[in-house]
Amino acid sequence: MADVFACAGCGDVLTGPVTRVALPSRAHHRYGHEMLPALMDPGTYAADPEPSGPPWRPWSEVGPQEAEARGVFAPVDALSFGAPGAVVVAPGDTRGTVLIPERCDGYCLGLDGRDGPNLACARCGRPVATRIDDCSLWQAVWLAPGAVRRIPAVDPTGGSPEREALAREWESTPPVEPSGHWSPRWTAAAGAALAHLLAASAGAPVSVPDGLVAQTFGRALEALLPPGPLAPLVPSVPSVRSVPLGPSRSVAKRAALAGPGLPAPGPVPDIALVPRHPRTGEPWQPPGGAEAVPVDADVWQGMAFPREPLPVPATGGMPDGVLRDDPLPPYPHVLFQPDPEVFLHTLARLPAVRQPWLRRIYDRVRQHPYDLF
């Protein structure tokens, strides 16, 4: 079912028809110093259940007890006391809005929303949304809670945004971009999944399958958990990365991919890396009692069914699956690193972080976010 969003003041329509999907792990992710694409696919929207925007209160003022009541279980710089439920759409899906010039500040090359809503309803002038398009930030329009209302969409042309969204649900995101950089979608999704993976480990070492899963999680698990007889299948890197932060354990846990289209793993792993449903965000439930660790569906799809697309069209008798060697397929310039900001954001919201061994990991990564992965 597609919806449109309208101004709560005058009722003018502010978006095209959009279909609800899960909020991406990268929703509040900063990446590099470059212009990023749109956070949301065209024709989709997501809602953030957490409060967002000003006013902000520092941790020293909020304190652990009030923070836990708000679902945050470890120290953060500040907590938003704005309204929950902000809705995010792609900038191209907005209609009938105008910029508010005095609220158009940004850090570098665009708008970062620091002054609150910077888009107004073109009809009545009511502030209704915040446009984000500065460098390092995913381009998005966040519709302000209370300033808009959702209306079921009626498309007289017979088009179906819902069908288009369904067709995209299980698309795979390549891990490496043509530039040779790791995809920021992968680094963000891996940061969120790593937080859940550590919680599921209970402090024991975790083994992961070789290939993309090991590239994505192996080094971080090796750095943050103690070694064991089934250590991750990646080489040890001597430095601060090799200092285990978890409790000393002797029995390792085994993690494996599980989900739609994959054969049932045997024997049943202790931890199952499963996809989040693209619509609801709910993790796929693995059989056999394995503990589920959710991964964004497009990244999980890339791990479960890796593909090497043919870089150059070929004619003649070249066998299926054989790649031309000119040009070479993209390979990353550096080792993979889960995004530490997304990792910390996710881990702070897991009750397990209150356990002393996991809190030590949280504090250490918070102090040295780019030294431990």
Side-chain angles (χ1 to χ4, degrees), residues 1 6 13 23 32 81 84 90 99 120 142 155 187 213 219 223 226 229 231 240 286 296-297 318 334 357 367:
M1 176 66 70
V13 171
L23 184 71
F81 278 75
L99 286 168
W142 290 87
D155 188 353
T187 60
V213 178
R219 292 175 62 246
V240 67
D296 283 3
M318 183 173 286
V334 297
W357 71 269
Q367 293 172 10

Side-chain angles (χ1 to χ4, degrees), residues 169-173 275-278 295-302:
E169 279 193 353
W170 293 99
E171 283 189 355
S172 172
T173 294
R276 297 173 62 221
H277 194 282
V295 183
D296 283 3
D298 59 332
V299 172
W300 180 90
Q301 185 85 356

Side-chain angles (χ1 to χ4, degrees), residues 55-59 62 66-67 70 72 76-81 349:
W56 294 86
R57 290 171 58 188
W59 178 264
V62 176
E66 187 174 0
R70 300 170 65 86
V72 179
V76 295
D77 291 336
L79 283 175
S80 168
F81 278 75
R349 287 155 178 80

